[in-house]
Amino acid sequence: MRTPWGESNELRDRRLRPGSGLSRAATERNQRERLFGALTAVVAERGYEATTVADVVELSGVSRSSFYRHFDDKQQCFVAAVDALIGPALERLAADDGVVADEARAREGFFGLLELVAAQPAAAKMCLVEIHAAGPEAAALHDAILDGLADLAGQMFEQIPGREGMPEELVRGIVGGVQKAVYKRLLRDEAEALPEAAAGLWDWVLCVPPPPGPLRPARRRWLRPRPFEERQASSAPPDRLLRALAAVVVERGYQETTVADVVERAHTSQRTFYKSFRDKEAAMVAALDASSAQMMAAALPAFRRAGDWPESVHHTQEAMFRFAALEPEYGRLGAVEIYAAGPPALEQREMVTEGMEGLLAAGFELAPETPAMAPEAIGGALYAMLYDFIKAHGPERLPELLPAAAYITLSPFLGAEEAYAVAAR
């Protein structure tokens, strides 16, 4: 497997001979690079959770004792490898003003980035897919990566005529839309399709114009959910377990959550848990499925009763945000905590997202020239905006995000003025 530090099956051959005369620093650099290459390859093949230190030292040819001289554990090695990949790259991009000098250079850089991801899928998968499973420090590094890309995107828009003054939340959404398209293909081991998708993604990036006015709710929109125990009391035992799982994961993180924690929070027994779910992972997927089903049950009637398609989109998003605000455990689980739960949960999210993309099909009847990638990218943009907003403010204030969410969804189909008129209601 190809890694930025060499082919995985050649890492052991890069061992330095004893007495080679190289400095201690050179020896340590050689060992770290081989460990990084091995970790990248094993994580891409098996996933972060299933990867062990034994796997890494076996593939790299670095001794176990040398591994622990460099790193305290697998997690620290993972964070160091991602930082070694991303840190210098972001610094170079930030220092190169030419990358965002004009639309042509920005387009060239965009295509080059996706080609690099396609050429190094194992490293990209580690940095964008598996990173959330490696704990809070790794997740913070992932957020820093997106922050850096959003800064560059904001600078880029300032250099493109007609795109100046793009609001920060829309810039983050646009970056999220691109990241989601990349993420989906990495998750499904289809990185080779990214260069072909690049043109459609770039067209979508440029079809979201700055809004003609502020994207703020007309009034303060706070929703207060019923107390957790009150909602639990009216639910069946499996539903109580799922909501309890969501609550514990929100409080402690997915990796630290145990079945014992969940049954204690649900006021039930492990026997009841295992009658319904094989393990914690299966329960997590079921919780996401249940929350998605309840959200869609609230959203689809809103979509169908609206007078026209733009109004349908607005009402649907309003209903979705209302559900997340009134079930805050599910809201945070699906928007933030899901990333640490691994590929099965993420694949389930992809299926839900693809179902939601179907609601945008009618937009092409209004604007057939809209890029075909728009529904997929819009789904990613909305997830990115939800992630940022819920981390900053919590699900209860989510209706405040509605104008920005509606605008980034509708503007590729309606243009700035008409999309803003709907979004700013």
Side-chain angles (χ1 to χ4, degrees), residues 143-156:
D143 290 352
I145 293 169
L146 293 186
D147 286 345
L149 293 174
D151 287 343
L152 286 169
Q155 296 173 43
M156 176 193 76

Side-chain angles (χ1 to χ4, degrees), residues 225-259:
R226 290 186 297 148
F228 177 82
E229 294 298 343
E230 184 179 323
R231 285 177 281 132
Q232 287 288 76
S234 60
S235 301
D239 295 326
R240 292 204 303 271
L241 283 165
L242 295 178
R243 189 183 284 110
L245 171 68
V248 176
V249 169
V250 166
E251 292 170 1
R252 302 187 184 184
Y254 177 77
Q255 303 302 334
E256 299 302 318
T257 294
T258 67
V259 172

